[in-house]
Amino acid sequence: MADEEGQSAPVAQEEEQKQDEIVAEPVKEGEGETQEQKVEETETKAEETPKEGEPEKAETEATTEQVGTTEETPQNVNENAGGVTEEGKKEEQQEESNTDAPTEQTAPETTEGAGEEGQIQKETSEIEQESKPAPTEKEEETAQETVAEDGEEKMVPVFTTDTSMDGEQQKPSEVSEQAPTEAPKEASTTEAPKEAPITEAPEEAPPTEASKEPTQTEISQQQSETAGPTEATVQSPRTVTREKTLSPPPPTETMGTMSTQQEPPRESNLIPDAPKIPVIEREPSQIEGTMSNTALNVVWSFGLNRNIPVKNLTDNNRKLIMYACAHVGVLYDYEANRQHILQGHANPLTCTCISEDKRWLATGDKGKDSMVIIWDTYTGVPVQTIFDDDQEGGVVAMAMTPDARYLATLSSAKKQILAIWDWTVDGENPMCTAELKPNYGVQNFIKFNEEDIHYLVTNSDSQVVFFHWSDKHMEYFAPPLTDQDFNKPVGRYSQSIFQRNSSRVYSGTSIGNLVVWDNNKPVTKLKSMELSANKKALKIIRLQDRGINVLQTTEKYIVVGDMAGHVKFFDESLKLVHWYQDFDLGPITSVSFAYNTDFQAVAKEGTNYPPDATIEAKKFVIKDFVVGSSIAIVGSITADGTKVKVIHREHDAAIHALTAHPRQPYIVIGSYSGLLKIWDYEKKQVMVTRTFERGNLIRCCSYDPKGAYIAVGFVNGSVRILDSITLSDEIAEPFRYARDAITHIAFSHDSKFLATADAEFTMTLYRRQRGDGDPYMYLGRYRAHYKPIKDIMFGVHLDTDQPRLLSLGMDRVLVEYDLENSEQDNIRISSTDRIEQSAVPQCMAWYPPITKEHFIVTANDQFKFKLYNATTKMCRKTLLGPTYGSPIQKLSVLPTKDPARDKRYVVYITKYKVGLHILPLDGNPHNAMALIAHPAEVANMACSHDGKYIFTTGGTDSTVHMWEINLKALEAQSNLGGEDLVPFYGLLEGGREGELFAELEDYFYYAQIRNKGVNDMGRREITTKIPLSEVPFVMRAMGFYPSEQEIEDMLNEVKFSRYVETGQYVDSIDLGEFIKLYTNHRPAFGLDPEKLIEAFDILGVATHKGSAIERGDLLDYLQTKGEHMTEYELAEYLTTLLGFNAEGGSSELQEFDSTQAGDVIDQNLPHQINADMFSKEVLGFSMYNETPQSEM
């Protein structure tokens, strides 16, 4: 009896193997037992009475718990299916001799059978409950004792051999496809026939008392009382007939809890299968634009975020990787050279994670409006979004369970929160959370235990934290470890992993150490199998000399990626098995393996796998993988033959240099890494690259108008002229006349001149020369600005074809250079004009010839466009610009095939966005649109020569986005905004029916009365126009207080509006034109109290009531600074504001007596004037009174 009991576990495994053979192979002689007979036989063995000296109840529960942990390790069945390794054969022979089990056709490793039993026990329990009556208490106790005894004797090998977790985590019902592969090697290639009657029998059985669904109480009671005597011995017929699906499996519990499969499935848990991304057969140039339903749509991203690990989504049907580019994710098919852009985030991505089957992808960011998005990578469609209401929220690390059911996130707050999400059910509330202490450092890595997902590990640079969670509870432990504990340096932690079939955890460090953590309990010689979050540092292993950046597992190996660019594979005893060292890809920051359901760790005939490091030099067979490096290089490694293919070799520093070819589909990208690349943006191919010597940081570049040369400006002040095809130098030595960074570079339209602006506010000019020497020679330098130069541009004189050069600075000065009369070392200035009074100009461009008058258009920091006459530099029009968070930084007129007939558009960038605007500019807000281009910053912009694409670079994010332009969408948006005055009514508070418009009509009519004389009793003719002289008064009545310069600009705008067409001045304005004038000239966001406070802070001195100005100083400033006031004007205005004159003063034809003004001011204006007093007592603006209260 003892022998029979001791052999029950291996016999059960053998019976399961035979059962698989029945399905996978024709029935052999002597093996004609049916599935039902095998089930009955195993049930009989499980119910046998245990021998005397049975273990205590505590031992029974512990063993049962060990059996339960194998539920999470079914992948070894998948990955070793269909073949046996040499090690497997040796272990098989040894296990057979130890257990006296029959030797005919057994599984490659008995531990895999045990793992399979753990995997299928849930479904077995379900079928038994449906098909047989519930066992009595005596039978349950007997069965439990039997399992405990069997587990005590035979479960030891389960935890001493490999159970790989890199394969797909299947549902219990999905193991059916893998079960036949556990049969002997001869049957591995035979396709298992489907036996529908056996599969459907349990589901079609009529309901009985025993087959009713148990309640939650019954489930927990059964789980605690019975581990299921047949869970480890009976194989469900369903396991050989169920179709394989790729959707995440339903929830399953581990560590002694009943499977939730017995509960009715919730519809919200069911995520249907999705097809693979279809291969679209079309020309490369037509890939973009098919999904564009907005005016701008990003269709390609150049570069990548090297700080976020690259994910390998390759499986049997695709060659796909995922990486981050600024705020978008990129699914890149590197075999077909196609991208799918994942758009949805408003901030730069901070972390990503994928499911084991490579289908589900999660992306997260941090900042305002942060979120986590889960994507279906088969379709590129988001399936769940988790929002963060905290304006400074977001996540810094994420991890997904192998079955993709649960998602763990680490917040970016100062007090980090670890949250577990059941994202397929609830995207608003996490299941459980834990708040971490700030002294743990920023936890930036997280990892689930794949064998029991209720355990996690996270780490920062200085602290490793271990977690254990349940549905509504989470506990964690943060064991301390210092350099003194083991008398050796620890280093900064990088990543951590759970060791398979063990309670240990490994953490890699920056100095090549491996910290081993184990359960915090008394030291014993026995290796612990019990899982616990309470751990302590067991030892520090000096694994290598170089820092460890990557630490993960695949198959039965521990994978290490280091600073030297090596990828090493260790076995579970940390013996080196294989070492890749010739990748030449830079320091490794990510290693990601392909997903292959048919993978077998056996070298087939004709393969060329490298040998491992053992004495036998066996073939080292692993899945193909992708590595990413800290220098922005991504490589694909094919294990068979050790083939290295560089997928991307991108910029690993800030990108500022960007220019498009004037005639060909080429874009030039240069970065601070010294890398210059030319892309064919239609074919998505790199044409040529050049890496400059160390210290040559590329700041800007430009094609000449013919596309023959590329001028490149560097941060060190040097300028190079390169051949546009080979990128070779065209001049013997670089120009080194500037002592600071070259910020702008431009060619004249005829290539005769090259101009550069540098950070020292200086323009440098070069002239083209003929002959065999250098194509350009130095002409001279001129410092015409005292603040940074914001923009430079070449133009053409109207009467001749000669070039003209202009520069615009933050000093508000527009400078034009006299190129015709400039000589060597003698640059001359043609004109210098101060074009702004208070605003700071940001950029300029030539306004296209859509009007008879030639203009220069500028954009300033007050969200205004301004048009200046190209000859006189007079401000001819002020227009409201796009108000999308920040002012326009750069603008360019979109190229077109027929400039004379085609409708024209302007492309612009703000601090974070890229946008389009319809020409002519008129202040209509519906004529403009913008999208987030780069959340960190938009450093530069370029347009394609045909006007189809816009390119934006994000500076520090090291990426360039290619935007497809859809002008029809922009026109549709404009049409929806209304015609004529409708868009401008919307800019008035309350619109056409609001109080402001009604007041404006009253002011308009009163201005006509006032112009004719208030006291005139004669007959009046009311018209729809008012004279220009009344415009300033109506503006002030509307709450807009323009300066004298702004009044002059407004009057000139109306006065000369028709002069070019008719030759006559305009002396009146109607209500519609006045509304446009008012909405375009008034401040875009109203009066700002902070401006007044800032002025007092600058001009005044600090007091206990804030910054204050002496009364005498204030009166002196008003008469001598800015727009000067006369003493008479100042006296009248102050006494009127203080309430001692009739309202309106002389502007309302009232008389003013200046003799008493001095005494009035002296008595009513205090000696110390602060901003609060000035706004409350003098200006009477209540808005300033509310400011301090709102801040309190």
Side-chain angles (χ1 to χ4, degrees):
M1 177 65 71
D3 293 341
E4 292 179 359
E5 292 173 350
Q7 295 176 5
S8 59
V11 169
Q13 296 170 7
E14 179 190 5
E15 294 299 332
E16 292 164 359
Q17 301 301 331
K18 291 183 178 181
Q19 177 183 346
D20 293 344
E21 292 176 51
I22 292 173
V23 180
E25 295 183 311
V27 179
K28 298 182 181 180
E29 184 177 355
E31 298 180 356
E33 295 179 345
T34 64
Q35 296 285 351
E36 292 81 356
Q37 290 172 335
K38 288 182 177 290
V39 171
E40 293 174 0
E41 178 183 350
T42 52
E43 289 176 357
T44 302
K45 291 182 179 181
E47 294 174 357
E48 291 178 357
T49 306
K51 62 183 180 180
E52 297 181 2
E54 60 188 23
E56 295 293 331
K57 184 176 182 180
E59 296 178 4
T60 304
E61 293 176 352
T63 309
T64 305
E65 186 177 22
Q66 291 179 354
V67 175
T69 59
T70 61
E71 291 181 7
E72 296 300 319
T73 59
Q75 286 77 7
N76 197 30
V77 179
N78 302 342
E79 294 173 3
N80 290 331
V84 183
T85 62
E86 293 296 324
E87 292 179 344
K89 292 181 179 180
K90 293 179 180 179
E91 293 178 4
E92 174 188 0
Q93 296 172 2
Q94 182 179 358
E95 301 243 352
E96 290 173 352
S97 62
N98 291 340
T99 58
D100 294 330
T103 57
E104 64 172 293
Q105 294 191 353
T106 58
E109 296 180 10
T110 58
T111 58
E112 294 178 358
E116 181 183 357
E117 292 165 1
Q119 171 82 356
I120 66 174
Q121 63 181 354
K122 306 169 187 175
E123 189 144 331
T124 304
S125 300
E126 181 181 349
I127 296 173
E128 285 182 344
Q129 289 185 9
E130 295 176 353
S131 59
K132 59 181 289 186
T136 64
E137 293 184 3
K138 184 176 182 180
E139 290 174 337
E140 290 176 354
E141 293 175 359
T142 304
Q144 184 177 8
E145 292 167 356
T146 303
V147 173
E149 182 177 3
D150 292 345
E152 181 182 9
E153 290 185 13
K154 300 303 178 183
M155 287 303 290
V156 175
V158 174
F159 300 95
T160 58
T161 58
D162 167 54
T163 53
S164 174
M165 296 296 296
D166 197 63
E168 179 184 9
Q169 178 86 7
Q170 299 285 352
K171 301 180 186 178
S173 60
E174 293 174 355
V175 181
S176 56
E177 186 170 322
Q178 311 299 338
T181 62
E182 190 62 20
K185 185 174 182 180
E186 293 79 7
S188 61
T189 58
T190 305
E191 183 178 358
K194 299 182 184 290
E195 297 182 0
I198 297 177
T199 304
E200 301 297 334
E203 299 179 359
E204 295 177 358
T208 62
E209 281 298 313
S211 62
K212 291 182 180 179
E213 288 294 329
T215 64
Q216 187 65 33
T217 305
E218 293 170 345
I219 291 176
S220 59
Q221 182 178 359
Q222 291 177 11
Q223 180 63 26
S224 60
E225 294 180 356
T226 62
T230 59
E231 286 181 354
T233 57
V234 180
Q235 180 175 353
S236 169
R238 190 178 306 182
T239 60
V240 295
T241 59
R242 184 67 58 89
E243 288 285 343
K244 178 183 177 182
T245 61
L246 290 176
S247 59
T252 56
E253 299 288 336
T254 59
M255 292 299 294
T257 58
M258 200 68 172
S259 169
T260 58
Q261 282 190 345
Q262 295 178 356
E263 299 178 0
R266 292 173 289 185
E267 292 298 328
S268 57
N269 286 353
L270 302 178
I271 300 178
D273 288 342
K276 302 291 184 181
I277 295 178
V279 178
I280 304 174
E281 297 296 338
R282 55 189 173 191
E283 294 297 326
S285 61
Q286 298 176 350
I287 292 178
E288 301 81 19
T290 57
M291 296 184 295
S292 177
N293 54 5
T294 60
L296 291 174
N297 184 54
V298 59
V299 294
W300 195 270
S301 291
F302 304 92
L304 54 88
N305 187 341
R306 60 192 177 94
N307 298 316
I308 299 180
V310 178
K311 304 298 183 184
N312 187 5
L313 307 182
T314 300
D315 56 22
N316 297 338
N317 301 317
R318 60 185 183 179
K319 300 286 188 182
L320 196 71
I321 61 173
M322 183 273 166
Y323 52 88
C325 280
H327 65 302
V328 303
V330 178
L331 298 179
Y332 178 56
D333 186 335
Y334 57 89
E335 194 171 53
N337 195 27
R338 286 191 177 93
Q339 283 188 359
H340 181 83
I341 309 298
L342 305 177
Q343 301 181 69
H345 292 274
N347 303 294
L349 297 184
T350 55
C351 53
T352 61
C353 67
I354 56 174
S355 63
E356 191 174 42
D357 62 1
K358 310 296 185 180
R359 175 172 182 177
W360 309 104
L361 165 70
T363 57
D365 64 63
K366 66 176 181 179
K368 185 179 179 180
D369 300 324
S370 61
M371 65 185 72
V372 172
I373 304 177
I374 294 91
W375 310 81
D376 184 345
T377 62
Y378 290 171
T379 60
V381 174
V383 296
Q384 182 63 279
T385 303
I386 301 172
F387 295 96
D388 193 338
D389 297 333
D390 188 356
Q391 295 302 309
E392 297 181 358
V395 293
V396 294
M398 295 188 299
M400 196 176 285
T401 56
D403 62 0
R405 168 72 186 272
Y406 299 108
L407 178 71
T409 61
L410 274 168
S411 71
S412 61
K414 292 182 179 179
K415 291 185 178 180
Q416 285 186 282
I417 295 177
L418 174 65
I420 307 295
W421 304 82
D422 188 356
W423 64 269
T424 62
V425 177
D426 187 1
E428 296 184 1
N429 302 302
M431 297 178 60
C432 55
T433 60
E435 183 176 303
L436 305 182
K437 297 179 181 179
N439 59 356
Y440 293 162
V442 179
Q443 300 285 310
N444 52 24
F445 179 81
I446 184 169
K447 180 75 172 178
F448 276 100
N449 186 345
E450 296 176 343
E451 295 178 347
D452 189 340
I453 60 174
H454 291 82
Y455 291 90
L456 300 96
V457 60
T458 68
N459 67 256
S460 64
D461 290 345
S462 58
Q463 181 67 58
V464 179
V465 185
F466 302 93
F467 299 81
H468 176 247
W469 65 277
S470 58
D471 288 347
K472 296 183 179 180
H473 175 72
M474 183 183 296
E475 62 176 353
Y476 67 90
F477 299 87
L481 178 61
T482 64
D483 295 348
Q484 290 74 33
D485 291 338
F486 292 97
N487 199 23
K488 62 173 65 176
V490 178
R492 297 186 305 273
Y493 298 115
S494 57
Q495 295 184 2
S496 302
I497 60 170
F498 289 90
Q499 185 182 11
R500 301 179 189 276
N501 303 322
S502 172
S503 60
R504 293 185 175 181
V505 174
Y506 296 141
S507 297
T509 73
S510 59
I511 59 175
N513 286 340
L514 199 65
V515 180
V516 182
W517 309 87
D518 208 341
N519 291 344
N520 188 11
K521 64 178 184 179
V523 179
T524 62
K525 293 184 178 181
L526 297 178
K527 188 175 181 181
S528 173
M529 302 300 170
E530 180 183 359
L531 296 178
S532 172
N534 186 4
K535 297 188 182 297
K536 65 179 180 180
L538 182 63
K539 55 185 174 181
I540 297 178
I541 300 174
R542 182 66 172 175
L543 197 64
Q544 59 184 48
D545 294 333
R546 304 303 295 271
I548 297 174
N549 295 333
V550 178
L551 186 64
Q552 62 171 275
T553 59
T554 182
E555 309 298 326
K556 56 185 178 181
Y557 303 113
I558 296 172
V559 186
V560 173
D562 59 27
M563 291 294 296
H566 302 161
V567 178
K568 301 176 182 179
F569 292 79
F570 298 85
D571 62 14
E572 294 187 353
S573 61
L574 296 180
K575 295 178 181 178
L576 184 62
V577 179
H578 195 71
W579 183 355
Y580 291 102
Q581 60 181 355
D582 297 325
F583 290 160
D584 295 328
L585 301 178
I588 304 298
T589 56
S590 65
V591 179
S592 185
F593 290 86
Y595 177 69
N596 186 354
T597 56
D598 302 326
F599 176 77
Q600 301 176 9
V602 177
K604 298 180 180 179
E605 185 178 354
T607 58
N608 186 26
Y609 288 96
D612 61 18
T614 61
I615 298 177
E616 296 84 0
K618 295 179 294 185
K619 293 294 184 180
F620 181 69
V621 181
I622 56 168
K623 298 177 182 178
D624 298 341
F625 58 97
V626 170
V627 299
S629 72
S630 62
I631 58 175
I633 301 178
V634 179
S636 172
I637 286 80
T638 304
D640 185 4
T642 315
K643 302 172 185 175
V644 182
K645 175 185 177 182
V646 176
I647 300 175
H648 284 311
R649 190 182 299 272
E650 295 296 344
H651 305 266
D652 62 344
I655 298 176
H656 290 270
L658 193 67
T659 185
H661 195 284
R663 300 176 184 177
Q664 299 295 328
Y666 302 150
I667 184 74
V668 179
I669 304 173
S671 68
Y672 282 178
S673 63
L675 177 63
L676 191 69
K677 300 179 71 172
I678 301 180
W679 284 81
D680 185 326
Y681 56 77
E682 287 188 349
K683 297 181 180 178
K684 311 302 185 299
Q685 295 177 353
V686 178
M687 305 300 295
V688 62
T689 64
R690 178 177 176 181
T691 302
F692 292 92
E693 299 81 4
R694 188 179 182 87
N696 287 280
L697 285 63
I698 302 173
R699 182 62 178 78
C700 56
C701 62
S702 178
Y703 271 104
D704 80 312
K706 297 180 180 179
Y709 301 107
I710 300 175
V712 182
F714 294 84
V715 172
N716 59 14
S718 62
V719 176
R720 293 174 183 259
I721 310 296
L722 309 179
D723 181 89
S724 63
I725 298 177
T726 63
L727 295 184
S728 59
D729 288 308
E730 289 292 323
I731 55 178
E733 287 293 330
F735 296 122
R736 291 189 174 91
Y737 296 98
R739 293 173 296 182
D740 209 333
I742 305 297
T743 57
H744 298 80
I745 192 165
F747 285 93
S748 63
H749 74 287
D750 54 5
S751 299
K752 288 183 179 180
F753 293 94
L754 169 66
T756 65
D758 57 53
E760 289 187 319
F761 328 141
T762 306
M763 289 287 293
T764 306
L765 199 59
Y766 304 89
R767 176 181 287 170
R768 182 70 182 271
Q769 62 180 3
R770 303 296 178 182
D772 298 334
D774 295 340
Y776 286 88
M777 59 171 288
Y778 169 75
L779 190 61
R781 287 165 57 82
Y782 198 103
R783 182 170 179 171
H785 299 273
Y786 65 90
K787 286 189 176 181
I789 297 175
K790 298 297 293 184
D791 207 352
I792 66 172
M793 67 178 182
F794 278 95
V796 182
H797 283 285
L798 298 180
D799 50 350
T800 65
D801 194 35
Q802 295 300 315
R804 56 190 300 196
L805 175 64
L806 298 96
S807 64
L808 181 65
M810 287 186 66
D811 53 7
R812 305 179 178 89
V813 174
L814 179 65
V815 178
E816 182 168 1
Y817 300 85
D818 187 355
L819 299 179
E820 185 176 358
N821 298 314
S822 295
E823 300 173 351
Q824 186 81 26
D825 295 324
N826 184 20
I827 305 299
R828 296 186 178 181
I829 299 297
S830 176
S831 63
T832 300
D833 299 278
R834 183 183 175 92
I835 61 172
E836 292 280 7
Q837 186 179 32
S838 60
V840 177
Q842 302 294 312
C843 54
M844 63 179 174
W846 293 105
Y847 200 68
I850 56 178
T851 59
K852 292 184 178 180
E853 192 173 358
H854 293 272
F855 294 121
I856 299 170
V857 58
T858 67
N860 62 31
D861 65 345
Q862 295 181 357
F863 300 90
K864 303 291 185 182
F865 287 121
K866 287 197 173 183
L867 300 183
Y868 296 90
N869 183 281
T871 303
T872 64
K873 311 298 191 308
M874 177 189 292
C875 180
R876 291 282 291 101
K877 190 170 287 190
T878 300
L879 303 153
L880 179 65
T883 54
Y884 298 121
S886 61
I888 291 177
Q889 305 292 323
K890 183 177 181 179
L891 59 85
S892 176
V893 178
L894 194 66
T896 183
K897 295 181 179 179
D898 190 351
R901 298 182 181 180
D902 292 343
K903 191 169 184 179
R904 306 306 300 273
Y905 303 84
V906 165
V907 182
Y908 64 89
I909 56 174
T910 66
K911 188 174 182 179
Y912 309 109
K913 299 182 179 182
V914 59
L916 284 170
H917 202 298
I918 298 175
L919 293 179
L921 301 174
D922 58 1
N924 182 354
H926 301 286
N927 285 346
M929 60 79 58
L931 294 173
I932 294 177
H934 302 268
E937 66 168 332
V938 184
N940 204 350
M941 173 193 70
C943 299
S944 64
H945 68 97
D946 54 6
K948 293 182 179 180
Y949 303 104
I950 304 172
F951 300 89
T952 59
T953 175
T956 54
D957 65 17
S958 304
T959 61
V960 173
H961 290 323
M962 175 178 172
W963 303 81
E964 183 185 48
I965 300 174
N966 185 353
L967 297 177
K968 293 182 179 179
L970 181 61
E971 291 290 345
Q973 169 190 306
S974 176
N975 294 334
L976 290 174
E979 298 179 351
D980 198 23
L981 290 175
V982 174
F984 298 94
Y985 291 146
L987 295 174
L988 299 175
E989 290 77 1
R992 177 66 175 79
E993 307 299 328
E995 294 182 3
L996 186 63
F997 182 80
E999 289 183 6
L1000 176 58
E1001 288 184 312
D1002 294 341
Y1003 293 145
F1004 212 73
Y1005 291 125
Y1006 177 70
Q1008 297 184 49
I1009 296 174
R1010 183 178 178 280
N1011 183 58
K1012 296 292 185 180
V1014 177
N1015 299 322
D1016 186 5
M1017 303 300 294
R1019 181 180 177 85
R1020 301 176 184 274
E1021 293 183 3
I1022 301 301
T1023 65
T1024 59
K1025 297 183 177 183
I1026 61 173
L1028 292 183
S1029 58
E1030 296 297 319
V1031 168
F1033 301 102
V1034 180
M1035 289 288 182
R1036 296 186 186 108
M1038 294 288 290
F1040 170 40
Y1041 305 94
S1043 65
E1044 295 300 319
Q1045 179 64 50
E1046 290 171 334
I1047 291 173
E1048 182 181 351
D1049 291 342
M1050 283 191 292
L1051 299 181
N1052 286 337
E1053 179 176 329
V1054 179
K1055 183 177 180 180
F1056 294 98
S1057 58
R1058 296 184 179 87
Y1059 184 79
V1060 176
E1061 292 84 357
T1062 64
Q1064 297 179 354
Y1065 299 122
V1066 177
D1067 57 3
S1068 62
I1069 185 173
D1070 60 20
L1071 181 61
E1073 292 298 322
F1074 182 86
I1075 291 176
K1076 291 183 179 181
L1077 192 70
Y1078 169 70
T1079 56
N1080 281 321
H1081 280 264
R1082 69 173 180 175
F1085 301 103
L1087 297 175
D1088 188 1
E1090 297 298 326
K1091 294 290 185 181
L1092 182 63
I1093 297 174
E1094 180 184 0
F1096 272 83
D1097 288 340
I1098 295 173
L1099 299 175
V1101 294
T1103 66
H1104 66 283
K1105 293 184 178 181
S1107 298
I1109 305 176
E1110 292 284 345
R1111 181 177 64 189
D1113 293 337
L1114 178 61
L1115 299 177
D1116 181 62
Y1117 294 153
L1118 294 175
Q1119 296 179 70
T1120 59
K1121 306 294 183 183
E1123 293 181 342
H1124 303 170
M1125 294 182 185
T1126 65
E1127 185 177 356
Y1128 181 87
E1129 291 174 336
L1130 181 59
E1132 179 190 0
Y1133 299 157
L1134 280 177
T1135 53
T1136 303
L1137 288 171
L1138 290 172
F1140 292 93
N1141 288 337
E1143 188 173 346
S1146 60
S1147 62
E1148 292 295 332
L1149 308 180
Q1150 303 289 339
E1151 294 184 359
F1152 170 64
D1153 183 9
S1154 61
T1155 58
Q1156 304 296 325
D1159 296 335
V1160 171
I1161 294 174
D1162 183 63
Q1163 295 173 6
N1164 294 275
L1165 202 63
H1167 292 281
Q1168 295 284 340
I1169 304 172
N1170 57 30
D1172 183 63
M1173 180 272 163
F1174 190 76
S1175 62
K1176 184 185 301 183
E1177 303 296 336
V1178 179
L1179 300 180
F1181 287 164
S1182 60
M1183 56 190 297
Y1184 294 108
N1185 298 335
E1186 298 172 0
T1187 302
Q1189 298 176 1
S1190 63
E1191 294 176 353
M1192 294 178 61

